[in-house]
Amino acid sequence: MVAPDGSGDFTSVQAAVDAVPTGNASRYTITIRPGTYRETVTVPAGKPYVSFVGSTGDPRDVVIVYDNASGTPKPGGGTYGTSGSASVTIDGNDFTARHLTFANDFDEAAHDYAAEQAVAVLTRADRLVFDDVRFLGNQDTLYHNSASVDAVGRAYFRDCYVEGDVDFIFGRGTGVFDGCEIRSLDRGSTGNNGYVTAASTMIGNPYGLLFTGCVLTTDAAAAQSVHLGRPWHPGGDVNAIGQVVFRDSVLGAHVKDSPWTDMSGFSWRDARFAEYRNSGPGSTVTADRPQLTDEQAPTYTPQRYLAGVDGWNPIP
């Protein structure tokens, strides 16, 4: 039990993680009482089967937050970089989180850094479940990655809320967003209020990011001002061929009629982007919106994305 007032076993989340034995073979549940925990937290690779659970069942009651950005100076020199900016880093396989909030509240307006990516959660592990979890940030909120370019990192996001503006769901991980709210924040632009995704799925992996039964919302006033995504090629890696599908989801009027765009000289048309049976004012099918056929659609389901070679199925 973690509680900020000292009524639990620990007053910080990281202290509770530190108490989990390395190489544990059974699940350790860290129950977190209401409060704002201003700290960076890392679940190391040697500590699988860790669960974070908010004690009240309301994700707003428990907030784990910090405010590093990519360009934030480090005490020993240099800057944190995008990965190093994460408030919470998950390297341990079979991690779960329920009923809490992960956030990065870096204040863009108060700083003038050359790099202002500010990650709330970085995942580099496999078989992760996030259930009724909120991810709050601006640029690069949720960095869903894997342990290496040759490794697959799968995660199931169920009934979650993710907000941000630029590339706020990104990386090479395989992720299913099931029944989630994906909210684009207002950047004050009439034409470009950001990009929901920036997938860097490796070419050998058929499954990147799937959004199914989701609703895409915004607090931006401008219609036709948000892209569904763009292809991220880290370091110019030509083998990072992003894969993203939005299906059976409700898209608000903020989504552009041409919702995919190029990035760093790489064309979105060379990526693996598609939609299927979306609805809402932002779902108008145009020549710039590849659609799955009815024959292709059964290949792009949550079960197919998450099964891998071990048949993993976290879907209730």
Side-chain angles (χ1 to χ4, degrees):
M1 181 72 73
V2 179
D5 62 2
S7 62
D9 303 298
F10 305 95
T11 56
S12 78
V13 178
Q14 187 62 59
V17 173
D18 292 345
V20 175
T22 300
N24 54 296
S26 60
R27 185 158 298 280
Y28 278 73
T29 297
I30 298 172
T31 302
I32 309 173
R33 288 181 175 159
T36 297
Y37 298 82
R38 181 160 290 278
E39 57 178 309
T40 58
V41 177
T42 298
V43 179
K47 297 187 178 185
Y49 306 112
V50 171
S51 293
F52 290 178
V53 179
S55 65
T56 68
D58 186 338
R60 293 169 178 79
D61 290 341
V62 174
V63 180
I64 304 172
V65 58
Y66 211 70
D67 62 352
N68 283 332
S70 179
T72 300
K74 295 174 69 173
T79 58
Y80 282 97
T82 300
S83 295
S85 75
S87 301
V88 177
T89 301
I90 309 300
D91 286 324
N93 290 342
D94 299 287
F95 173 86
T96 68
R98 290 183 172 86
H99 313 313
L100 48 80
T101 296
F102 298 118
N104 189 316
D105 63 356
F106 170 72
D107 187 349
E108 294 180 343
H111 298 83
D112 188 23
Y113 295 154
E116 295 192 336
Q117 299 89 341
V119 176
V121 172
L122 165 62
T123 71
R124 294 186 295 211
D126 192 26
R127 298 184 302 272
L128 313 178
V129 174
F130 298 89
D131 186 5
D132 188 30
V133 171
R134 299 163 76 229
F135 301 85
L136 310 183
N138 285 291
Q139 182 173 356
D140 290 9
T141 304
L142 175 55
Y143 191 174
H144 179 35
N145 219 30
S146 66
S148 70
V149 294
D150 299 319
V152 174
R154 294 165 292 173
Y156 180 52
F157 301 86
R158 178 174 178 266
D159 295 338
C160 291
Y161 171 91
V162 190
E163 71 173 27
D165 46 36
V166 175
D167 306 333
F168 63 96
I169 301 173
F170 73 112
R172 63 171 175 259
T174 295
V176 171
F177 295 81
D178 188 354
C180 298
E181 179 180 354
I182 311 299
R183 189 165 186 82
S184 294
L185 301 179
D186 191 356
R187 300 173 68 206
S189 171
T190 58
N192 185 358
N193 279 303
Y195 318 86
V196 175
T197 66
S200 57
T201 324
M202 297 307 294
I203 192 170
N205 183 0
Y207 296 122
L209 303 175
L210 172 65
F211 299 82
T212 180
C214 293
V215 56
L216 273 64
T217 63
T218 189
D219 62 3
Q224 295 278 325
S225 65
V226 172
H227 297 85
L228 290 180
R230 55 184 184 169
W232 181 37
H233 292 256
D237 188 346
V238 297
N239 292 317
I241 309 295
Q243 197 280 330
V244 182
V245 170
F246 286 84
R247 62 173 297 169
D248 304 301
S249 294
V250 180
L251 312 186
H254 59 295
V255 176
K256 287 177 172 285
D257 284 348
S258 297
W260 309 103
T261 191
D262 304 341
M263 186 177 188
S264 303
F266 289 93
S267 172
W268 73 263
R269 297 181 187 278
D270 296 328
R272 296 170 286 174
F273 296 158
E275 297 177 71
Y276 182 70
R277 292 189 175 178
N278 292 318
S279 61
S283 66
T284 302
V285 177
T286 69
D288 289 329
R289 303 184 79 152
Q291 303 288 313
L292 298 177
T293 65
D294 290 342
E295 291 72 28
Q296 292 171 323
T299 303
Y300 298 93
T301 63
Q303 291 83 358
R304 290 288 189 94
Y305 271 70
L306 298 176
V309 297
D310 57 5
W312 187 53
N313 184 11
I315 303 165

